[in-house]
Amino acid sequence: MHKMLGFLIAAMAGYFTPQIESAIGAPLAKTLTPHMTLAPGELRLLAFMIAVTGAGLVAELIDSDKPFWVALGASLGYFGQRIVAAIRART
């Protein structure tokens, strides 16, 4: 279980990306505005980057998982609701 904890943390980080977008991503984007511009669709990407970086740091601190599992967990967490909806639509 200890080795899967990084995967689970990353999945939660991916899932909570929309909340991170408004709470952390938007203020960071505003701070970066004088130095660089973000395209409208890049705010969600910035939030995802923050979430995955945080999940990776936590996984490293608890000595959990390989980077692949952290990346997979974050990706599945990010798209999880859409994946479940697609599976339910097919059945």
Coordinates of all heavy atoms in Angstrom, one line a residue:
M1 N 0.8 -1.2 0.0 CA 0.0 0.0 0.0 C 0.9 1.3 0.0 O 0.5 2.2 -0.6 CB -0.9 0.0 1.2 CG -1.8 1.2 1.4 SD -2.9 1.3 0.0 CE -3.9 2.7 0.4
H2 N 2.0 1.2 0.7 CA 2.8 2.4 0.8 C 3.3 2.8 -0.5 O 3.4 4.0 -0.8 CB 4.0 2.1 1.7 CG 5.0 3.2 1.9 ND1 6.1 3.2 1.1 CD2 5.0 4.3 2.6 CE1 6.8 4.3 1.4 NE2 6.1 5.0 2.3
K3 N 3.6 1.9 -1.4 CA 4.1 2.2 -2.7 C 3.0 2.8 -3.6 O 3.3 3.5 -4.5 CB 4.7 1.0 -3.4 CG 6.0 0.5 -2.8 CD 7.0 1.6 -2.9 CE 8.3 1.2 -2.3 NZ 9.3 2.2 -2.4
M4 N 1.7 2.5 -3.3 CA 0.6 3.1 -4.2 C 0.2 4.4 -3.7 O -0.7 5.0 -4.3 CB -0.5 2.1 -4.2 CG -0.3 0.8 -4.9 SD 0.1 1.1 -6.7 CE -1.4 1.8 -7.2
L5 N 0.7 4.9 -2.5 CA 0.2 6.1 -2.0 C 0.5 7.3 -2.9 O -0.4 8.2 -3.0 CB 0.8 6.3 -0.6 CG 0.1 7.3 0.3 CD1 -1.3 7.1 0.5 CD2 0.8 7.4 1.7
G6 N 1.6 7.3 -3.5 CA 2.0 8.4 -4.5 C 1.0 8.4 -5.7 O 0.6 9.5 -6.1
F7 N 0.6 7.2 -6.1 CA -0.4 7.1 -7.2 C -1.7 7.7 -6.8 O -2.3 8.5 -7.5 CB -0.6 5.7 -7.6 CG -1.7 5.4 -8.6 CD1 -1.5 5.6 -10.0 CD2 -3.0 5.1 -8.2 CE1 -2.5 5.4 -10.9 CE2 -4.0 4.8 -9.1 CZ -3.7 5.0 -10.5
L8 N -2.2 7.4 -5.6 CA -3.4 7.9 -5.1 C -3.4 9.4 -4.8 O -4.3 10.1 -5.1 CB -3.8 7.2 -3.8 CG -4.1 5.7 -3.9 CD1 -4.3 5.0 -2.6 CD2 -5.3 5.4 -4.8
I9 N -2.3 9.9 -4.3 CA -2.1 11.4 -4.1 C -2.2 12.1 -5.4 O -2.8 13.1 -5.5 CB -0.8 11.6 -3.3 CG1 -1.0 11.2 -1.8 CG2 -0.5 13.1 -3.3 CD1 0.4 11.1 -1.1
A10 N -1.5 11.5 -6.4 CA -1.5 12.2 -7.7 C -2.9 12.1 -8.4 O -3.3 13.1 -9.0 CB -0.4 11.5 -8.6
A11 N -3.6 11.0 -8.2 CA -4.9 10.9 -8.7 C -5.8 12.0 -8.1 O -6.6 12.7 -8.8 CB -5.5 9.6 -8.5
M12 N -5.7 12.2 -6.8 CA -6.5 13.3 -6.1 C -6.0 14.7 -6.6 O -6.9 15.5 -6.8 CB -6.3 13.2 -4.6 CG -7.0 12.0 -4.0 SD -7.0 11.8 -2.2 CE -5.8 12.9 -1.6
A13 N -4.8 14.9 -6.9 CA -4.3 16.1 -7.4 C -4.9 16.4 -8.8 O -5.3 17.5 -9.1 CB -2.8 16.1 -7.5
G14 N -4.9 15.4 -9.6 CA -5.5 15.6 -10.9 C -7.0 15.8 -10.8 O -7.5 16.7 -11.5
Y15 N -7.7 15.1 -9.9 CA -9.1 15.3 -9.8 C -9.5 16.7 -9.3 O -10.5 17.3 -9.7 CB -9.7 14.3 -8.8 CG -11.1 14.4 -8.5 CD1 -12.0 13.9 -9.4 CD2 -11.6 15.0 -7.4 CE1 -13.4 14.0 -9.2 CE2 -13.0 15.1 -7.1 CZ -13.9 14.6 -8.1 OH -15.2 14.7 -7.8
F16 N -8.6 17.3 -8.4 CA -8.9 18.6 -7.8 C -8.3 19.8 -8.6 O -8.3 20.9 -8.1 CB -8.5 18.6 -6.3 CG -9.4 17.9 -5.4 CD1 -8.9 16.7 -4.8 CD2 -10.6 18.3 -5.2 CE1 -9.8 16.0 -4.0 CE2 -11.5 17.6 -4.4 CZ -11.1 16.4 -3.8
T17 N -7.8 19.5 -9.8 CA -7.2 20.6 -10.6 C -8.2 21.8 -10.8 O -7.7 22.9 -10.7 CB -6.8 20.0 -12.0 OG1 -5.7 19.1 -11.7 CG2 -6.3 21.1 -12.9
P18 N -9.5 21.6 -11.1 CA -10.4 22.7 -11.2 C -10.4 23.6 -10.0 O -10.4 24.9 -10.1 CB -11.7 22.1 -11.5 CG -11.4 20.8 -12.1 CD -10.2 20.3 -11.4
Q19 N -10.3 23.1 -8.8 CA -10.3 23.9 -7.6 C -9.0 24.6 -7.4 O -8.9 25.7 -7.0 CB -10.6 23.0 -6.3 CG -12.0 22.5 -6.2 CD -12.3 21.3 -7.1 OE1 -11.5 20.7 -7.7 NE2 -13.6 21.1 -7.3
I20 N -7.9 23.9 -7.8 CA -6.6 24.5 -7.7 C -6.5 25.6 -8.7 O -5.8 26.6 -8.5 CB -5.5 23.4 -8.0 CG1 -5.5 22.4 -6.9 CG2 -4.1 24.0 -8.2 CD1 -4.7 21.2 -7.2
E21 N -7.2 25.5 -9.9 CA -7.1 26.5 -10.9 C -7.6 27.9 -10.4 O -7.0 28.9 -10.6 CB -8.0 26.1 -12.1 CG -8.1 27.1 -13.2 CD -8.9 26.6 -14.4 OE1 -9.4 25.5 -14.3 OE2 -9.1 27.4 -15.3
S22 N -8.7 27.9 -9.7 CA -9.3 29.1 -9.1 C -8.5 29.6 -7.9 O -8.3 30.8 -7.7 CB -10.8 29.0 -8.9 OG -11.0 28.0 -7.9
A23 N -8.1 28.7 -7.0 CA -7.5 29.1 -5.8 C -6.0 29.5 -5.9 O -5.6 30.4 -5.2 CB -7.6 27.9 -4.8
I24 N -5.3 28.8 -6.8 CA -3.8 29.0 -6.9 C -3.4 29.4 -8.3 O -2.6 30.3 -8.4 CB -3.0 27.7 -6.5 CG1 -3.4 27.4 -5.0 CG2 -1.5 28.0 -6.6 CD1 -2.8 26.0 -4.6
G25 N -4.0 28.8 -9.3 CA -3.6 29.0 -10.7 C -3.9 30.5 -11.1 O -3.0 31.1 -11.7
A26 N -5.1 31.0 -10.8 CA -5.4 32.3 -11.3 C -4.6 33.4 -10.6 O -4.0 34.3 -11.3 CB -6.9 32.6 -11.0
P27 N -4.3 33.3 -9.3 CA -3.5 34.3 -8.7 C -2.0 34.2 -9.2 O -1.4 35.3 -9.4 CB -3.5 34.0 -7.2 CG -4.8 33.3 -7.0 CD -5.0 32.5 -8.2
L28 N -1.5 33.0 -9.4 CA -0.2 32.9 -10.0 C -0.1 33.4 -11.4 O 0.9 34.1 -11.7 CB 0.3 31.4 -10.0 CG 1.7 31.1 -10.5 CD1 2.7 31.9 -9.7 CD2 2.0 29.6 -10.5
A29 N -1.1 33.2 -12.2 CA -1.2 33.7 -13.6 C -1.2 35.2 -13.5 O -0.5 35.9 -14.3 CB -2.4 33.2 -14.3
K30 N -1.9 35.8 -12.6 CA -1.9 37.3 -12.5 C -0.6 37.8 -12.1 O -0.1 38.9 -12.6 CB -3.0 37.7 -11.4 CG -3.3 39.1 -11.4 CD -4.4 39.4 -10.4 CE -4.6 40.9 -10.4 NZ -5.7 41.3 -9.5
T31 N 0.1 37.1 -11.2 CA 1.5 37.5 -10.8 C 2.4 37.4 -12.0 O 3.3 38.3 -12.1 CB 2.0 36.6 -9.7 OG1 1.0 36.7 -8.6 CG2 3.3 37.0 -9.2
L32 N 2.3 36.4 -12.8 CA 3.2 36.2 -14.0 C 2.9 37.2 -15.2 O 3.7 37.3 -16.0 CB 3.0 34.8 -14.5 CG 3.6 33.7 -13.5 CD1 3.2 32.3 -14.1 CD2 5.1 33.8 -13.3
T33 N 1.7 37.8 -15.2 CA 1.3 38.6 -16.3 C 2.3 39.7 -16.8 O 2.5 39.8 -18.0 CB -0.1 39.3 -16.0 OG1 -1.0 38.2 -15.8 CG2 -0.6 40.1 -17.2
P34 N 3.0 40.4 -15.9 CA 3.9 41.4 -16.4 C 5.1 40.7 -17.1 O 5.8 41.4 -17.9 CB 4.4 42.1 -15.1 CG 3.4 41.8 -14.0 CD 2.8 40.5 -14.4
H35 N 5.4 39.4 -16.8 CA 6.6 38.8 -17.4 C 6.2 37.8 -18.6 O 7.1 37.6 -19.4 CB 7.2 38.0 -16.3 CG 7.5 38.8 -15.1 ND1 8.4 39.8 -15.0 CD2 6.9 38.7 -13.9 CE1 8.4 40.3 -13.8 NE2 7.5 39.7 -13.1
M36 N 5.0 37.4 -18.6 CA 4.6 36.5 -19.7 C 3.1 36.4 -19.8 O 2.4 36.8 -18.9 CB 5.2 35.0 -19.5 CG 4.6 34.4 -18.2 SD 5.3 32.8 -17.9 CE 4.4 31.7 -18.9
T37 N 2.6 36.0 -21.0 CA 1.2 35.9 -21.1 C 0.8 34.5 -21.2 O 1.5 33.7 -21.8 CB 0.7 36.7 -22.4 OG1 1.4 36.2 -23.5 CG2 1.0 38.2 -22.3
L38 N -0.4 34.2 -20.7 CA -0.9 32.8 -20.8 C -2.2 32.9 -21.8 O -3.0 33.8 -21.7 CB -1.4 32.3 -19.5 CG -0.3 32.0 -18.4 CD1 -0.9 31.7 -17.1 CD2 0.6 30.9 -18.9
A39 N -2.2 31.9 -22.6 CA -3.4 31.8 -23.5 C -4.6 31.4 -22.6 O -4.4 30.8 -21.6 CB -3.1 30.8 -24.6
P40 N -5.8 31.7 -23.0 CA -7.0 31.3 -22.2 C -7.0 29.9 -21.7 O -7.4 29.6 -20.6 CB -8.2 31.7 -23.1 CG -7.6 32.7 -24.0 CD -6.2 32.4 -24.3
G41 N -6.7 28.9 -22.6 CA -6.7 27.5 -22.2 C -5.6 27.1 -21.3 O -5.6 26.0 -20.8
E42 N -4.6 27.9 -21.1 CA -3.4 27.5 -20.4 C -3.5 27.7 -18.8 O -2.7 27.2 -18.1 CB -2.2 28.3 -20.8 CG -1.7 27.9 -22.2 CD -0.5 28.7 -22.7 OE1 -0.4 29.9 -22.4 OE2 0.3 28.1 -23.4
L43 N -4.6 28.3 -18.4 CA -4.8 28.5 -16.9 C -5.0 27.1 -16.3 O -4.5 26.8 -15.2 CB -5.9 29.4 -16.6 CG -6.1 29.7 -15.2 CD1 -4.9 30.3 -14.5 CD2 -7.3 30.7 -15.0
R44 N -5.8 26.3 -16.9 CA -6.1 24.9 -16.4 C -4.8 24.1 -16.5 O -4.5 23.3 -15.6 CB -7.2 24.3 -17.3 CG -7.5 22.8 -16.9 CD -8.2 22.6 -15.6 NE -9.4 23.4 -15.4 CZ -10.7 23.0 -15.5 NH1 -10.9 21.8 -15.8 NH2 -11.6 23.8 -15.2
L45 N -4.0 24.3 -17.5 CA -2.7 23.6 -17.6 C -1.8 24.0 -16.5 O -1.1 23.2 -15.9 CB -2.1 23.8 -19.0 CG -0.7 23.2 -19.2 CD1 -0.7 21.7 -19.1 CD2 -0.1 23.7 -20.5
L46 N -1.7 25.3 -16.2 CA -0.9 25.8 -15.1 C -1.3 25.2 -13.8 O -0.5 24.7 -13.0 CB -1.0 27.3 -15.0 CG -0.2 28.0 -13.9 CD1 1.3 27.8 -14.1 CD2 -0.5 29.5 -13.9
A47 N -2.6 25.1 -13.6 CA -3.1 24.5 -12.3 C -2.8 23.0 -12.3 O -2.4 22.5 -11.2 CB -4.6 24.6 -12.3
F48 N -2.8 22.3 -13.4 CA -2.5 20.9 -13.4 C -1.0 20.7 -13.1 O -0.6 19.8 -12.4 CB -2.8 20.3 -14.8 CG -2.6 18.8 -14.9 CD1 -3.4 17.9 -14.1 CD2 -1.6 18.3 -15.7 CE1 -3.1 16.6 -14.2 CE2 -1.4 17.0 -15.8 CZ -2.1 16.1 -15.0
M49 N -0.2 21.6 -13.7 CA 1.3 21.6 -13.4 C 1.6 21.8 -11.9 O 2.4 21.1 -11.4 CB 2.0 22.6 -14.3 CG 2.0 22.3 -15.7 SD 2.6 23.6 -16.8 CE 4.0 24.2 -15.9
I50 N 0.9 22.7 -11.3 CA 1.0 22.9 -9.9 C 0.6 21.7 -9.1 O 1.3 21.2 -8.2 CB 0.2 24.2 -9.4 CG1 0.8 25.4 -10.1 CG2 0.2 24.3 -7.9 CD1 -0.1 26.6 -10.0
A51 N -0.5 21.1 -9.5 CA -1.0 19.9 -8.8 C 0.0 18.7 -8.9 O 0.3 18.1 -7.9 CB -2.4 19.6 -9.3
V52 N 0.4 18.5 -10.1 CA 1.3 17.4 -10.3 C 2.7 17.6 -9.7 O 3.2 16.6 -9.1 CB 1.5 17.1 -11.9 CG1 2.6 16.1 -12.1 CG2 0.2 16.6 -12.4
T53 N 3.2 18.8 -9.7 CA 4.4 19.1 -9.0 C 4.3 18.8 -7.5 O 5.1 18.2 -6.9 CB 4.9 20.5 -9.3 OG1 5.0 20.7 -10.7 CG2 6.2 20.9 -8.5
G54 N 3.2 19.3 -6.9 CA 2.9 19.1 -5.5 C 2.8 17.6 -5.2 O 3.4 17.1 -4.2
A55 N 2.1 16.8 -6.0 CA 1.9 15.4 -5.8 C 3.3 14.7 -5.9 O 3.6 13.8 -5.2 CB 0.9 14.8 -6.8
G56 N 4.1 15.1 -6.9 CA 5.4 14.5 -7.1 C 6.3 14.8 -5.9 O 7.0 13.9 -5.4
L57 N 6.2 16.0 -5.3 CA 7.0 16.3 -4.1 C 6.6 15.5 -2.9 O 7.4 14.9 -2.2 CB 6.9 17.8 -3.8 CG 7.6 18.7 -4.7 CD1 7.3 20.2 -4.4 CD2 9.1 18.5 -4.5
V58 N 5.3 15.3 -2.7 CA 4.8 14.5 -1.6 C 5.2 13.0 -1.8 O 5.6 12.4 -0.9 CB 3.2 14.6 -1.5 CG1 2.7 13.6 -0.5 CG2 2.9 16.1 -1.1
A59 N 5.0 12.5 -3.0 CA 5.4 11.1 -3.3 C 6.9 10.9 -3.0 O 7.3 9.9 -2.5 CB 5.1 10.8 -4.8
E60 N 7.7 11.9 -3.4 CA 9.1 11.8 -3.1 C 9.4 11.8 -1.6 O 10.3 11.1 -1.1 CB 9.9 12.9 -3.8 CG 11.4 12.9 -3.6 CD 12.1 11.7 -4.3 OE1 11.5 11.2 -5.3 OE2 13.1 11.3 -3.8
L61 N 8.7 12.7 -0.9 CA 9.0 12.8 0.5 C 8.6 11.6 1.3 O 9.2 11.2 2.3 CB 8.2 14.0 1.1 CG 8.7 15.4 0.7 CD1 7.8 16.5 1.2 CD2 10.1 15.6 1.3
I62 N 7.5 10.9 0.8 CA 7.1 9.7 1.5 C 7.7 8.4 0.9 O 7.4 7.3 1.2 CB 5.6 9.5 1.6 CG1 5.0 9.5 0.2 CG2 5.0 10.7 2.4 CD1 3.5 9.2 0.2
D63 N 8.7 8.7 -0.1 CA 9.4 7.6 -0.8 C 8.4 6.6 -1.4 O 8.5 5.4 -1.1 CB 10.3 6.9 0.2 CG 11.3 6.0 -0.5 OD1 11.6 6.3 -1.7 OD2 11.7 4.9 0.1
S64 N 7.5 7.1 -2.2 CA 6.4 6.3 -2.7 C 6.5 6.3 -4.3 O 6.6 7.4 -4.8 CB 5.1 6.8 -2.2 OG 4.0 6.1 -2.8
D65 N 6.3 5.2 -4.9 CA 6.1 5.1 -6.3 C 7.3 5.6 -7.2 O 8.2 6.3 -6.7 CB 4.9 5.8 -6.7 CG 3.6 5.0 -6.4 OD1 3.7 3.7 -6.4 OD2 2.6 5.6 -6.2
K66 N 7.1 5.2 -8.4 CA 8.0 5.6 -9.4 C 7.3 6.8 -10.1 O 6.1 6.9 -10.1 CB 8.2 4.5 -10.4 CG 8.8 3.2 -9.8 CD 10.2 3.0 -10.3 CE 10.7 1.7 -9.8 NZ 11.6 1.9 -8.7
P67 N 8.0 7.6 -10.8 CA 7.4 8.8 -11.5 C 6.3 8.4 -12.5 O 5.3 9.1 -12.6 CB 8.6 9.5 -12.2 CG 9.8 9.1 -11.5 CD 9.5 7.7 -10.9
F68 N 6.4 7.3 -13.1 CA 5.4 6.8 -14.0 C 4.1 6.7 -13.4 O 3.0 7.1 -13.9 CB 5.8 5.4 -14.7 CG 4.6 4.8 -15.4 CD1 4.3 5.3 -16.7 CD2 3.9 3.8 -14.9 CE1 3.3 4.7 -17.4 CE2 2.8 3.3 -15.6 CZ 2.5 3.7 -16.8
W69 N 4.0 6.1 -12.2 CA 2.7 5.9 -11.5 C 2.2 7.2 -11.0 O 0.9 7.4 -10.9 CB 2.9 4.9 -10.3 CG 3.2 3.5 -10.9 CD1 4.4 2.9 -10.7 CD2 2.4 2.7 -11.6 NE1 4.4 1.7 -11.4 CE2 3.1 1.5 -12.0 CE3 1.1 2.8 -12.1 CZ2 2.6 0.5 -12.7 CZ3 0.6 1.8 -12.9 CH2 1.3 0.6 -13.2
V70 N 3.0 8.1 -10.6 CA 2.5 9.5 -10.2 C 1.9 10.2 -11.4 O 0.8 10.7 -11.4 CB 3.7 10.3 -9.6 CG1 3.2 11.7 -9.4 CG2 4.2 9.7 -8.3
A71 N 2.6 10.1 -12.6 CA 2.1 10.7 -13.8 C 0.7 10.0 -14.2 O -0.2 10.7 -14.6 CB 3.1 10.6 -14.9
L72 N 0.7 8.7 -14.2 CA -0.5 8.0 -14.5 C -1.7 8.3 -13.6 O -2.8 8.6 -14.0 CB -0.3 6.5 -14.5 CG -1.5 5.6 -14.9 CD1 -1.9 5.9 -16.4 CD2 -1.2 4.2 -14.8
G73 N -1.4 8.4 -12.3 CA -2.4 8.7 -11.3 C -2.9 10.1 -11.5 O -4.2 10.3 -11.5
A74 N -2.1 11.1 -11.8 CA -2.5 12.4 -12.1 C -3.4 12.5 -13.3 O -4.4 13.2 -13.4 CB -1.3 13.4 -12.2
S75 N -3.0 11.8 -14.4 CA -3.7 11.8 -15.6 C -5.1 11.2 -15.4 O -6.1 11.7 -15.9 CB -3.0 11.1 -16.7 OG -1.7 11.7 -16.9
L76 N -5.1 10.0 -14.8 CA -6.4 9.4 -14.5 C -7.3 10.2 -13.6 O -8.5 10.3 -13.8 CB -6.2 8.0 -13.9 CG -5.6 6.9 -14.9 CD1 -5.4 5.6 -14.1 CD2 -6.5 6.7 -16.0
G77 N -6.7 10.9 -12.6 CA -7.5 11.7 -11.8 C -8.1 12.9 -12.5 O -9.3 13.3 -12.3
Y78 N -7.3 13.5 -13.4 CA -7.8 14.6 -14.2 C -8.9 14.3 -15.1 O -9.9 15.0 -15.2 CB -6.6 15.2 -15.0 CG -6.9 16.4 -15.8 CD1 -6.8 17.7 -15.2 CD2 -7.3 16.4 -17.1 CE1 -7.1 18.8 -15.8 CE2 -7.6 17.6 -17.8 CZ -7.5 18.8 -17.2 OH -7.8 19.9 -17.8
F79 N -8.8 13.1 -15.8 CA -9.8 12.7 -16.7 C -10.8 11.7 -16.1 O -11.7 11.2 -16.9 CB -9.2 12.1 -18.0 CG -8.4 13.1 -18.8 CD1 -7.1 13.1 -18.9 CD2 -9.2 14.0 -19.6 CE1 -6.4 14.1 -19.6 CE2 -8.5 15.0 -20.3 CZ -7.1 15.0 -20.4
G80 N -10.7 11.4 -14.9 CA -11.5 10.3 -14.2 C -13.0 10.4 -14.4 O -13.6 9.4 -14.8
Q81 N -13.5 11.6 -14.2 CA -15.0 11.7 -14.4 C -15.4 11.5 -15.8 O -16.5 10.9 -16.1 CB -15.4 13.1 -13.9 CG -15.3 13.3 -12.4 CD -15.8 14.7 -12.0 OE1 -15.6 15.7 -12.7 NE2 -16.3 14.8 -10.8
R82 N -14.7 11.9 -16.8 CA -15.0 11.7 -18.2 C -14.8 10.3 -18.6 O -15.6 9.7 -19.4 CB -14.1 12.6 -19.1 CG -14.6 14.1 -18.9 CD -13.7 14.9 -19.9 NE -12.9 15.8 -19.0 CZ -12.1 16.7 -19.5 NH1 -11.9 16.8 -20.8 NH2 -11.4 17.4 -18.7
I83 N -13.8 9.6 -18.0 CA -13.6 8.2 -18.3 C -14.8 7.4 -17.8 O -15.3 6.5 -18.5 CB -12.3 7.7 -17.7 CG1 -11.1 8.3 -18.4 CG2 -12.2 6.2 -17.8 CD1 -9.8 8.1 -17.7
V84 N -15.2 7.6 -16.5 CA -16.3 6.9 -15.9 C -17.6 7.2 -16.7 O -18.4 6.3 -17.0 CB -16.5 7.3 -14.5 CG1 -17.8 6.8 -13.9 CG2 -15.3 6.8 -13.6
A85 N -17.8 8.4 -17.1 CA -19.0 8.8 -17.9 C -19.0 8.0 -19.3 O -20.1 7.5 -19.7 CB -19.1 10.3 -18.1
A86 N -17.9 7.9 -19.9 CA -17.8 7.2 -21.2 C -18.0 5.7 -21.0 O -18.7 5.1 -21.8 CB -16.4 7.4 -21.8
I87 N -17.5 5.2 -19.9 CA -17.8 3.7 -19.7 C -19.3 3.5 -19.4 O -19.9 2.5 -19.9 CB -16.9 3.2 -18.5 CG1 -15.5 3.2 -18.9 CG2 -17.4 1.8 -18.0 CD1 -14.5 3.0 -17.8
R88 N -19.9 4.4 -18.6 CA -21.3 4.2 -18.3 C -22.2 4.4 -19.6 O -23.2 3.7 -19.7 CB -21.7 5.2 -17.3 CG -21.3 4.8 -15.9 CD -21.8 5.8 -14.9 NE -21.3 5.4 -13.5 CZ -21.2 6.2 -12.5 NH1 -21.6 7.4 -12.6 NH2 -20.8 5.7 -11.3
A89 N -21.7 5.3 -20.5 CA -22.5 5.5 -21.7 C -22.5 4.3 -22.6 O -23.4 4.1 -23.4 CB -22.0 6.7 -22.4
R90 N -21.4 3.5 -22.5 CA -21.3 2.3 -23.4 C -22.1 1.1 -22.9 O -22.3 0.2 -23.6 CB -19.8 2.0 -23.6 CG -19.1 3.0 -24.3 CD -17.8 2.5 -24.8 NE -18.0 1.3 -25.6 CZ -17.6 1.1 -26.8 NH1 -16.8 2.0 -27.4 NH2 -17.8 0.0 -27.5
T91 N -22.4 1.2 -21.6 CA -23.1 0.0 -21.0 C -24.6 0.2 -21.0 O -25.2 1.2 -21.1 CB -22.7 -0.3 -19.6 OG1 -22.9 0.8 -18.8 CG2 -21.2 -0.7 -19.6

